[in-house]
């Protein structure tokens, strides 16, 4: 792996660890409504490749006015090209999300890291909005994500994408 790719991965992991440590030290327990959330969605990679996502987030506390949670996500992306040997690509990652109210919705965003079967890695950023359906535990979300993908040889590529889906809060 090239030195710049290692440095980028180290910086992302260090930043996420520092932010999560600061968030855990800065607050008491998260509210019951923010404790555990299941996420499910339609997704895209490179803006045009379709996929599905599923995830689970756990609230870890407050940092100032923002709620802080850690979310694990798994994406399955379909690559409909005749030259591709494996048309279904699994991606697994984690995000550190900061969220807060903005009008009648909640805005959220934060950094993330992940891998495609240990062959390709990424650092990412996510920004989105979410809301509930009335007073129910069900809700919806939409988000934009940008991943910087790199392999063990240090070759890099920027991959923008989206997610649109449903949430269920315990």
């Amino acid at each position: 792996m090239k030195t710049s790719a290692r440095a980028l991965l180290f910086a992302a992991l260090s930043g996420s660890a520092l932010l999560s440590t600061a968030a855990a030290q800065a607050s008491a327990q998260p509210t019951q409504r923010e404790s555990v959330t299941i996420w499910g969605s339609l997704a895209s990679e490179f803006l045009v490749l379709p996929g599905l996502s599923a995830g689970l987030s756990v609230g870890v506390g407050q940092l100032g006015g923002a709620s802080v949670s850690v979310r694990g996500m798994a994406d399955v992306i379909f690559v409909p090209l005749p030259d591709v040997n494996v048309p279904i690509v699994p991606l697994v990652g984690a995000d550190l999300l900061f969220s807060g109210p903005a009008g009648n919705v909640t805005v959220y965003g934060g950094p993330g890291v992940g891998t495609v079967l240990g062959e390709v890695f990424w650092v990412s950023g996510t920004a989105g909005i979410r809301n509930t359906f009335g007073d129910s535990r069900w809700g919806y979300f939409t988000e934009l994500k940008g991943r910087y993908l790199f392999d063990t040889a240090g070759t890099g590529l920027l991959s923008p994408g989206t997610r649109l889906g449903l949430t269920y809060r315990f």
Side-chain angles (χ1 to χ4, degrees):
M1 186 183 300
K2 287 186 178 176
T3 304
S4 61
R6 273 189 230 135
L8 186 60
L9 180 59
F10 178 74
L13 291 172
S14 297
S16 292
L18 287 173
L19 288 172
S20 63
T21 301
Q25 292 174 350
S27 70
Q29 293 293 324
T31 64
Q32 180 65 26
R33 190 116 172 129
E34 295 293 324
S35 291
V36 177
T37 303
I38 295 174
W39 305 68
S41 69
L42 299 174
S44 73
E45 198 66 34
F46 296 107
L47 291 178
V48 296
L49 298 176
L52 297 172
S53 286
L56 181 73
S57 65
V58 176
V60 293
Q62 293 284 126
L63 184 59
S67 297
V68 181
S69 60
V70 176
R71 176 178 74 175
M73 292 292 286
D75 297 321
V76 177
I77 303 298
F78 179 64
V79 183
L81 299 174
D83 299 356
V84 176
N85 293 335
V86 181
I88 306 243
V89 180
L91 300 99
V92 179
D95 301 306
L96 180 64
L97 299 177
F98 300 89
S99 62
N104 61 351
V105 298
T106 299
V107 296
Y108 64 91
V113 294
T115 185
V116 180
L117 300 177
E119 296 295 319
V120 177
F121 302 91
W122 75 74
V123 292
S124 64
T126 300
I129 61 169
R130 67 181 188 199
N131 204 354
T132 58
F133 295 115
D135 288 333
S136 78
R137 295 178 179 269
W138 287 96
Y140 62 90
F141 73 100
T142 183
E143 67 184 39
L144 298 173
K145 56 189 169 69
R147 294 179 175 147
Y148 179 75
L149 302 154
F150 55 94
D151 61 16
T152 55
T155 305
L157 176 67
L158 182 62
S159 174
T162 61
R163 288 188 181 117
L164 174 63
L166 298 174
T167 60
Y168 184 82
R169 290 187 178 86
F170 292 93

